[in-house]
Amino acid sequence: MPAIVMSNAGPNGPKEFEGKITVYVVICGVIAATGGLMFGYDIGISGGVTSMDDFLEEFFPAVYVRKHKSKEDNYCKYDNQRLQLFTSSLYLAALVSSFVASKLCTNHGRRLTMQAASVFFLAGVVLNAGARNIAMLIVGRILLGVGVGFANQAVPLFLSEIAPVHIRGALNILFQLDVTIGIFVANIVNYFMSNIHPWGWRLALGLAGVPATMLCLGSLVIAETPTSLIEREQLIEGLAMLKKIRGTDNVDAEYQDILHACEMARQVKQPFRNLLKRSSRPQLVIAIAMQVFQQFTGINAIMFYAPVLFQTIGFKNDASLLSAVITGIVNVLSTVVSVVLVDKVGRRFLLLEACGQMLITQVAIGGILLVKLRATNELEHGIAIWVVVLVCLFVSSFAWSWGPLGWLIPSETFPLATRTAGYAFAVSSNMIFTFVIAQSFLSMMCHLRAGIFFFFAAWIVVMGLFAIFLLPETKNVSIDEMTEKVWKQHWYWKRFMDGEEEEEEEERRRR
């Protein structure tokens, strides 16, 4: 399993290692972050392309005909399983490939895994942009999914290992920021490409190759992380790289920490079995629940299909894509709020505030559509504008809470022995439920109609109760002190910590 290095806690908090933010680290961060742009662009582009008439007419003629029927049901005009499979197949491929990528990261390093990600992604781009039939589209999406699975495994690992300790958290959320920027750029591309006939959709899909090419070429320039080198017993090269990225020769303390972490990782022969222990249950439950709840806010349904959603409520094609651009801007700016506030006001405050804001907006949107949008009419322009405003308020609250924190909290709650295995469960849970939502949203909108927003609102209530009663605050608690200061003090989870010492003793005897 890959070893993720965290500083050990001293009497006054985490250790501070000597080093500075070097130009090389900045370059590495920018290059690796293109993996986030790659992922975000794909999220944004798929919804826009599936609303373009030229694309629908060539691959989904039945949807195209329904879309332009004056009497067609507003809620069902895009209900097509193959159309949904075009979007969702990527996430199923990403789920499977992430486990392969984990092994590749361990045995061959983070850089090679990023290179493989970009190659798979570029192959998918070529097939999608040049597609002549649905089979080419789906195979292309599967290759894109493999690229996403590899990139999502390697890039965050690379960033956390290359960054100085004092900016590691900011860099991790920066990856989420790059995802939102990718979505925003895709929305702009969709807006302009929708007016280029008949091949604008091909150019929109083909431009996904830009961030993938940047990652591919950039990964040839950057070097491997010190942790990966030392983990693969290339100690001299690892020490040299550590000195290079820290800009100092005084790296002995950090080097010893990396050696210690790698040794501990080697001793854990079956980390997935360790997750089944009673003492691992709190972290595992929270990691999986955060990912499930993240998807059942309804955010990806809105981000995938924003242009389609806005067309449903009566916006024409250009106006719907422009509305999606606006939500993309809100998404980017609101993620910056999380970067600024997460270590000041805490995780639980942001999550609970967002639950209230998301609940109000989902109920309001559902109420408006329930009363005003019938099967064959369009919303009045002023009311449609209010729906866009409500969607923006919903997106903003998600972007500073359940979006970035859904990834941050699982990464900081697991002990080192089960951290990568536990995080693998978090990633796989995210991909599974992303697939479920992407594959079912348009059909759910057809059958539940405005009730789809009340469905997500009900889940937000559950999320809020979970955050209130079962999610402890982890702000300003070092990784190594989580068990003593968080889990053993929590009113519910402390009961799972009672037998921790006995479990550790039994594990030592087994070795």
Side-chain angles (χ1 to χ4, degrees):
M1 298 296 292
I4 300 178
V5 179
M6 299 286 183
S7 59
N8 294 321
N12 298 315
K15 287 181 183 177
E16 290 291 337
F17 298 123
E18 183 174 337
K20 55 188 177 182
I21 304 175
T22 62
V23 174
Y24 184 73
V25 166
V26 173
I27 293 173
C28 288
V30 170
I31 291 173
T34 55
L37 293 175
M38 192 171 73
F39 184 32
Y41 184 89
D42 185 83
I43 291 175
I45 209 68
S46 57
V49 166
T50 53
S51 71
M52 295 182 187
D53 285 347
D54 295 321
F55 177 81
L56 292 175
E57 190 173 16
E58 182 159 351
F59 297 103
F60 305 96
V63 177
Y64 174 79
V65 171
R66 286 207 307 269
K67 176 182 175 183
H68 290 280
K69 276 186 177 179
S70 58
K71 298 294 185 181
E72 180 60 30
D73 192 319
N74 277 318
Y75 291 100
C76 298
K77 62 176 71 175
Y78 291 99
D79 180 20
N80 184 283
Q81 286 296 310
R82 289 194 298 179
L83 180 62
Q84 291 173 115
L85 185 62
F86 168 74
T87 296
S88 64
S89 55
L90 180 148
Y91 299 95
L92 201 58
L95 164 65
V96 176
S97 64
S98 62
F99 291 101
V100 179
S102 178
K103 193 72 173 177
L104 186 63
C105 262
T106 300
N107 295 336
H108 301 285
R110 289 53 160 153
R111 186 179 71 155
L112 183 64
T113 307
M114 287 191 289
Q115 289 173 348
S118 60
V119 170
F120 278 114
F121 200 88
L122 284 169
V125 168
V126 171
L127 280 179
N128 272 183
R132 298 296 177 186
N133 50 56
I134 293 179
M136 287 183 69
L137 278 178
I138 300 303
V139 172
R141 292 291 291 176
I142 289 172
L143 289 173
L144 290 174
V146 174
V148 166
F150 276 44
N152 282 12
Q153 180 73 26
V155 172
L157 210 59
F158 182 91
L159 289 172
S160 64
E161 291 175 353
I162 209 79
V165 171
H166 60 284
I167 64 167
R168 182 174 288 129
L171 275 183
N172 281 335
I173 293 185
L174 183 61
F175 177 75
Q176 175 71 15
L177 177 62
D178 289 319
V179 172
T180 65
I181 292 173
I183 295 172
F184 170 60
V185 171
N187 289 332
I188 293 177
V189 170
N190 283 331
Y191 177 71
F192 288 104
M193 293 303 106
S194 64
N195 295 314
I196 300 178
H197 305 286
W199 46 268
W201 66 269
R202 294 188 185 276
L203 187 54
L205 293 176
L207 287 174
V210 174
T213 301
M214 293 168 61
L215 181 63
C216 184
L217 297 178
S219 61
L220 298 175
V221 176
I222 61 179
E224 188 54 86
T225 70
T227 301
S228 180
L229 292 169
I230 296 169
E231 184 180 29
R232 290 178 286 137
E233 300 184 349
Q234 300 177 32
L235 303 185
I236 296 176
E237 295 87 343
L239 179 59
M241 180 52 58
L242 186 60
K243 292 178 179 179
K244 180 177 181 179
I245 65 175
R246 296 295 177 253
T248 178
D249 289 336
N250 187 17
V251 295
D252 288 344
E254 186 171 3
Y255 179 68
Q256 291 301 321
D257 255 32
I258 295 174
L259 282 175
H260 177 66
C262 290
E263 179 59 32
M264 287 184 65
R266 291 190 192 100
Q267 291 176 8
V268 179
K269 303 300 182 184
Q270 295 178 315
F272 286 96
R273 188 180 70 182
N274 281 21
L275 283 173
L276 300 179
K277 291 180 178 180
R278 181 179 172 84
S279 59
S280 296
R281 202 167 300 167
Q283 304 95 318
L284 184 61
V285 168
I286 285 175
I288 294 176
M290 291 296 292
Q291 300 302 321
V292 174
F293 290 149
Q294 187 186 75
Q295 297 311 307
F296 279 89
T297 59
I299 184 62
N300 274 340
I302 288 178
M303 299 311 293
F304 286 152
Y305 300 113
V308 172
L309 174 64
F310 291 136
Q311 282 194 12
T312 295
I313 64 176
F315 285 99
K316 301 304 180 184
N317 195 52
D318 285 355
S320 67
L321 290 172
L322 182 59
S323 299
V325 170
I326 294 171
T327 59
I329 295 174
V330 171
N331 196 20
V332 172
L333 296 179
S334 300
T335 305
V336 176
V337 174
S338 182
V339 175
V340 174
L341 294 181
V342 66
D343 290 317
K344 296 180 179 178
V345 301
R347 283 75 161 142
R348 294 179 80 249
F349 176 86
L350 290 175
L351 292 172
L352 290 171
E353 186 282 332
C355 282
Q357 188 169 326
M358 289 190 296
L359 178 63
I360 292 170
T361 53
Q362 288 279 29
V363 170
I365 293 170
I368 289 173
L369 298 188
L370 182 65
V371 174
K372 297 294 185 179
L373 185 65
R374 303 305 179 193
T376 56
N377 75 318
E378 293 183 355
L379 287 181
E380 297 174 11
H381 182 72
I383 295 176
I385 292 296
W386 273 110
V387 171
V388 173
V389 171
L390 289 168
V391 168
C392 288
L393 289 173
F394 170 82
V395 169
S396 67
S397 58
F398 174 87
W400 63 54
S401 60
W402 292 88
L405 299 185
W407 296 105
L408 174 61
I409 290 173
S411 73
E412 65 184 6
T413 52
F414 285 101
L416 180 62
T418 57
R419 190 169 299 143
T420 53
Y423 202 69
F425 269 95
V427 172
S428 61
S429 300
N430 183 276
M431 293 301 169
I432 288 172
F433 285 95
T434 302
F435 169 80
V436 169
I437 293 296
Q439 183 62 28
S440 61
F441 174 69
L442 295 180
S443 296
M444 290 173 66
M445 187 165 69
C446 177
H447 292 90
L448 296 178
R449 312 177 89 75
I452 185 69
F453 296 96
F454 298 112
F455 169 81
F456 289 127
W459 274 99
I460 291 171
V461 172
V462 176
M463 292 161 49
L465 294 174
F466 178 86
I468 290 172
F469 294 108
L470 296 178
L471 187 66
E473 179 58 69
T474 55
K475 181 187 73 169
N476 295 332
V477 180
S478 69
I479 299 295
D480 299 311
E481 295 178 310
M482 283 289 176
T483 298
E484 296 296 328
K485 289 190 174 182
V486 175
W487 306 117
K488 289 187 176 181
Q489 304 302 320
H490 191 269
W491 73 273
Y492 180 75
W493 298 122
K494 65 182 180 181
R495 70 189 66 183
F496 295 92
M497 299 290 113
D498 293 340
E500 183 185 19
E501 290 78 6
E502 291 80 357
E503 287 181 344
E504 291 177 354
E505 182 61 31
E506 182 181 347
E507 181 66 23
R508 280 192 290 269
R509 287 198 303 268
R510 190 181 294 117
R511 291 173 188 167

